[in-house]
Amino acid sequence: MTSVLIAALALILMGVAYQQGVSRSRALSGASRLHSRPQYHGAFLALWATVPLLLVLLIWVVTSGMIQDWYIARQLPADILPGTTDYASAASRLRNIASGFGVAGEVAAWETEAGEGLARFMTILRLSIVALGALVGIACLLVMRARLSPRLRARNHVETVIKTVLIFCSVVAILTTIGIVLSLVTETIRFFTYVSPVDFFFGTVWNPGYSTTSNEASGSYGMLPLLVGTIMISAIAMLVALPVGLMSAIWLTQYASPRLRNVIKPVIEVLAGIPTIVYGFFALVTVGPALAGFGEMIGLDINATSALTAGIVMGIMIIPFISSLSDDIIRQVPRAMRDGSLGLGATKSETIRMVIVPAALPGIVGAILLAVSRAIGETMIVVLAAGNAPILRFDPTEPVSTFTVTIVTALTGDADFASPQSLVAFALGLTLFVITLMLNIGALAIVRKYREQYE
Amino acid sequence: MNATSDTSPMGANRIVPSAPASSAGAESRISARDVTVHYGEKQAIFGVSMDVPEKSVTAFIGPSGCGKSTFLRCFNRMNDTIEGCRVGGEITIDGEDIHDPALDVVELRARVGMVFQKPNPFPKSIYDNIAYGPRIHGLVKSKAETDALVESSLKKAGLWKEVSDRLDQPGTGLSGGQQQRLCIARTIATGPEVILMDEPCSALDPIATSIVEDLIHELREQYTIIIVTHSMQQAARVSQKTAFFHLGKLIEYGETEQIFVNPKEKQTEAYITGRIG
């Protein structure tokens, strides 16, 4: 109820202020030429009216919890001491009564009274804050309205506000990234107080002891088996996705008629829209048994859940990724290049092989690197289909484990969060992050270099 | 607009080419009969007929969009590569119909080379740019043969002195004029009889243009050249015969001097004196 009221209030205030700005500046324009057009004066006043209102509300959001606590402290009987668990539960009982959420057990008369008092107090306070905000907004509006003049650089002020909002949005993204990395780094450092980095990065045995009570590192945390599993699955995925994706991109750009292309391309891209968990059980239920059956037929022992199964299905998942990126890149190769080759009497396939693909190669390499970094970070398919066997081996027909699978198992168990068994997830996550980051930077650098070539 | 398209060209192109056939190379005689081109529903060329003399330069002139480039691209069937483009009529080279299903378009394009409006060297080394055509056509067997062909092609294109010490550098690093001569050298390397040039100087500065024009003069000794140009001065400088196109029709075709000094058609005169186009 209050939020609707606030929104309506802000909108009305904004509308009135805008209208005031426009009409006032129009009136002023009779005297001398306006620096900014009336719309900018309107926007200028609208901002001056609504931003103070929102600031007041922001302060309320930050402080309301403290004010509530202060009120509750005054209501509780003196014999319940602050800082004790009794105090915390009594306070939360009051809050629940006030919000109408209800509490378990008998409700004492003083509790009911205090709870209702709290509810009344908070409602009055909230309404008066809204009123205060509106007053501040109106006051600012009036003050700034009086300061409107033909020479006022309203346009510049409005542009500055817009720029600030845009900067703020991009800073949010950057800060989030930094925050995630920092939390990864601190947890990783904690993990390394239990296990030495040398053992982690170069250890060949992955066997964390799952003793939930002890905080001591029991067992070995060598990440090499996981690294080998990750690389193996990604390599198999690329072996599947690269030829199929690249060739379908070549067919789409060079051979397909526009009408066919308009049908085929979206269909391929639908593959990208399938949730990875669906791919996962497709691997588990269909591809795995099929591979195992096929292996039996030709006398090979292939596990239903293996690096091969996960790799092939992940490859299928990545096909649209490679094909649509390569498609864009091949399309960017100038037509003149193609004509030049055809004009010399080269056939279509010679032109593609010897001119178009080499010209697009840097971009295609960039696309491949992006696809690899996706493959490395992919989780659901490998969780379901790779078999989760963190053992160092190089046979793709055997079950393996990867970084992502191990992170899932480390964090979904019932191990204490501060134990090395859980903390290792952060070390693995950071390693994974660094690997994909480097791949992405490399890919972007290559793609950018390629773009410059034809601009 | 009252002139009909089919009186003058037929009258003019019956003249036996005056340029004497040079002794070297096979004679190639190109003739087009009633050629039409459609882009989808839109007709771009309306029944053009002409005979192109060998070992000389023939210029196509006309205002933008008159179909001169489209017509040029008929001679090596480059219009095949454009979606929805249909070519009608008959074009023969040495009496062979180029639309004959038995004729291989790849072979045709090796015989009828093309130089494009914008220099379009491949993003490969200068050497590989030249060697590309000969390699795909199997014209060279050994490294030594390739070296020799690259050198002779670059010499014919007048580029050898400028690039002989950096054949391994990318062709895209050359200046515009050098790139265009590289493209001409690339075309020469496949051993064509005919070279089609589609406004080869329109992206070049005046100095580079005059170098390319001098080159065209020299190439005329060995090749039949058809050049599309939007510059009348260029047509007058480099060509022996000139064809004037307007709105997809061949308006007038004759000796260059006659076209420029004494045009028979009113439209030609109007274009040459700058009243249309």
Side-chain angles (χ1 to χ4, degrees):
Chain A
M1 186 58 215
T2 346
S3 49
V4 175
L5 179 74
I6 293 168
L9 191 70
L11 279 177
I12 291 169
L13 199 57
M14 195 189 272
V16 169
Y18 182 80
Q19 171 55 31
Q20 281 294 311
V22 172
S23 61
R24 176 96 182 112
S25 60
R26 283 234 172 87
L28 286 170
S29 69
S32 68
R33 218 178 66 82
L34 288 176
H35 170 269
S36 310
R37 287 188 300 138
Q39 288 88 322
Y40 281 107
H41 284 94
F44 176 71
L45 273 196
L47 283 170
W48 262 107
T50 38
V51 171
L53 166 67
L54 295 179
L55 278 180
V56 169
L57 293 175
L58 189 68
I59 291 167
W60 161 249
V61 168
V62 174
T63 56
S64 66
M66 283 190 286
I67 296 171
Q68 199 176 27
D69 288 345
W70 167 82
Y71 185 85
I72 289 170
R74 287 186 45 207
Q75 300 297 311
L76 290 177
D79 58 328
I80 304 179
L81 291 174
T84 61
T85 44
D86 281 352
Y87 182 90
S89 71
S92 103
R93 276 174 77 86
L94 281 195
R95 262 188 231 113
N96 287 341
I97 292 167
S99 66
F101 186 74
V103 288
E106 195 101 345
V107 182
W110 70 266
E111 280 184 328
T112 318
E113 195 187 327
E116 278 166 5
L118 177 63
R120 257 195 319 277
F121 173 71
M122 292 310 282
T123 309
I124 292 168
L125 200 58
R126 205 176 290 132
L127 285 175
S128 46
I129 288 293
V130 173
L132 176 71
L135 280 178
V136 172
I138 291 166
C140 288
L141 167 63
L142 290 176
V143 170
M144 294 320 286
R145 184 174 175 275
R147 291 184 55 184
L148 287 189
S149 78
R151 297 316 313 150
L152 179 71
R153 303 186 166 214
R155 169 161 44 81
N156 304 27
H157 291 297
V158 172
E159 295 290 352
T160 311
V161 172
I162 290 172
K163 200 175 81 187
T164 314
V165 170
L166 296 181
I167 289 173
F168 176 76
C169 290
S170 52
V171 166
V172 166
I174 294 166
L175 287 184
T176 315
T177 313
I178 291 174
I180 290 173
V181 173
L182 280 183
S183 82
L184 275 180
V185 168
T186 49
E187 300 296 331
T188 304
I189 289 169
R190 261 175 83 192
F191 170 72
F192 283 143
T193 58
Y194 296 108
V195 178
S196 97
V198 178
D199 289 344
F200 174 70
F201 286 116
F202 301 106
T204 55
V205 177
W206 179 268
N207 183 25
Y210 281 105
S211 58
T212 49
T213 48
S214 141
N215 272 6
E216 291 306 302
S218 52
S220 16
Y221 295 85
M223 68 158 210
L224 283 185
L226 309 178
L227 184 67
V228 168
T230 304
I231 291 174
M232 196 152 68
I233 290 179
S234 305
I236 294 168
M238 293 316 291
L239 281 180
V240 172
L242 191 58
V244 179
L246 196 54
M247 287 182 201
S248 76
I250 288 173
W251 180 74
L252 278 176
T253 53
Q254 307 295 323
Y255 290 94
S257 72
R259 200 150 20 110
L260 206 54
R261 193 187 124 75
N262 286 343
V263 177
I264 304 280
K265 204 175 177 209
V267 171
I268 291 179
E269 277 164 8
V270 163
L271 272 182
I274 298 176
T276 54
I277 184 80
V278 175
Y279 279 111
F281 60 70
F282 169 62
L284 191 64
V285 175
T286 313
V287 176
L291 274 177
F294 176 72
E296 221 167 87
M297 217 165 67
I298 59 168
L300 261 179
D301 186 22
I302 302 178
N303 269 286
T305 55
S306 63
L308 199 59
T309 312
I312 287 174
V313 175
M314 197 191 283
I316 294 170
M317 182 196 82
I318 292 174
I319 287 171
F321 204 69
I322 297 222
S323 96
S324 95
L325 274 175
S326 311
D327 182 304
D328 292 343
I329 290 157
I330 291 174
R331 203 166 293 282
Q332 274 183 42
V333 175
R335 199 195 154 81
M337 213 68 84
R338 208 181 93 173
D339 282 354
S341 173
L342 292 174
L344 285 172
T347 62
K348 223 165 182 180
S349 74
E350 282 166 343
T351 301
I352 291 164
R353 222 175 46 242
M354 295 158 83
V355 174
I356 294 178
V357 171
L361 198 61
I364 291 172
V365 170
I368 291 169
L369 288 187
L370 285 177
V372 169
S373 78
R374 251 202 94 171
I376 288 177
E378 169 50 36
T379 311
M380 274 345 285
I381 294 173
V382 276
V383 164
L384 288 175
N388 193 12
I391 300 159
L392 185 63
R393 55 187 166 199
F394 299 90
D395 181 357
T397 63
E398 297 281 342
V400 293
S401 187
T402 67
F403 281 120
T404 50
V405 172
T406 312
I407 292 172
V408 170
T409 40
L411 290 181
T412 51
D414 49 3
D416 179 6
F417 197 71
S419 71
Q421 286 86 355
S422 290
L423 285 176
V424 71
F426 292 95
L428 290 172
L430 189 64
T431 315
L432 194 60
F433 173 73
V434 170
I435 292 173
T436 50
L437 182 72
M438 288 194 311
L439 282 173
N440 279 342
I441 290 175
L444 286 179
I446 291 169
V447 170
R448 196 173 304 135
K449 197 174 160 206
Y450 167 77
R451 288 237 172 85
E452 284 162 5
Q453 204 174 330
Y454 294 117
E455 271 167 11
Chain B
M1 286 319 227
N2 48 8
T4 50
S5 62
D6 51 355
T7 51
S8 54
M10 296 312 277
N13 68 19
R14 286 298 173 219
I15 301 167
V16 175
S18 56
S22 84
S23 51
E27 294 197 353
S28 63
R29 187 184 174 84
I30 305 176
S31 90
R33 287 291 168 269
D34 204 22
V35 171
T36 59
V37 179
H38 287 81
Y39 289 117
E41 294 298 302
K42 197 174 154 279
Q43 186 162 7
I45 299 287
F46 298 83
V48 172
S49 302
M50 68 160 64
D51 289 317
V52 178
E54 66 272 321
K55 311 265 184 280
S56 70
V57 179
T58 303
F60 292 177
I61 60 170
S64 296
C66 68
K68 52 192 192 297
S69 288
T70 302
F71 186 58
L72 183 77
R73 292 165 66 94
C74 292
F75 290 109
N76 67 346
R77 288 179 52 188
M78 274 306 273
N79 286 327
D80 292 9
T81 65
I82 297 172
E83 206 73 49
C85 182
R86 285 174 292 122
V87 180
E90 189 190 56
I91 296 175
T92 56
I93 296 179
D94 289 343
E96 267 184 274
D97 181 2
I98 66 165
H99 291 105
D100 186 341
L103 182 131
D104 186 8
V105 67
V106 164
E107 218 168 278
L108 171 72
R109 289 185 190 146
R111 284 174 61 195
V112 183
M114 187 158 196
V115 176
F116 295 85
Q117 189 167 355
K118 252 181 78 185
N120 58 348
F122 303 129
K124 300 172 184 285
S125 70
I126 293 170
Y127 185 95
D128 286 336
N129 260 285
I130 309 287
Y132 180 78
R135 278 180 187 148
I136 58 176
H137 293 296
L139 299 178
V140 282
K141 303 271 179 298
S142 63
K143 174 91 172 86
E145 267 182 55
T146 318
D147 287 349
L149 187 57
V150 167
E151 184 176 339
S152 71
S153 303
L154 283 170
K155 276 182 176 156
K156 279 185 200 164
L159 198 58
W160 176 251
K161 280 193 195 124
E162 290 157 66
V163 301
S164 60
D165 56 340
R166 48 175 173 147
L167 292 176
D168 55 340
Q169 305 274 308
T172 42
L174 297 172
S175 75
Q178 288 174 324
Q179 286 190 13
Q180 196 60 298
R181 279 181 286 149
L182 178 65
C183 292
I184 292 172
R186 185 173 77 180
T187 307
I188 292 171
T190 58
E193 297 149 34
V194 182
I195 301 177
L196 308 176
M197 297 188 174
D198 188 357
E199 303 194 21
C201 300
S202 66
L204 306 184
D205 64 60
I207 294 170
T209 299
S210 94
I211 295 174
V212 171
E213 284 178 6
D214 290 345
L215 174 59
I216 293 171
H217 264 299
E218 286 166 30
L219 294 176
R220 170 162 68 94
E221 314 264 309
Q222 292 181 53
Y223 306 97
T224 301
I225 295 173
I226 307 179
I227 178 171
V228 164
T229 175
H230 59 236
S231 153
M232 284 177 279
Q233 291 83 350
Q234 184 171 65
R237 280 195 300 263
V238 302
S239 71
Q240 282 72 57
K241 298 198 86 174
T242 296
F244 171 63
F245 289 80
H246 189 49
L247 298 174
K249 295 186 176 109
L250 179 60
I251 306 298
E252 188 167 356
Y253 178 44
E255 301 296 323
T256 299
E257 205 180 311
Q258 174 254 312
I259 295 274
F260 281 98
V261 176
N262 185 22
K264 289 184 187 136
E265 298 293 330
K266 280 210 185 85
Q267 275 174 297
T268 314
E269 193 186 346
Y271 179 69
I272 286 164
T273 53
R275 271 183 284 137
I276 54 170

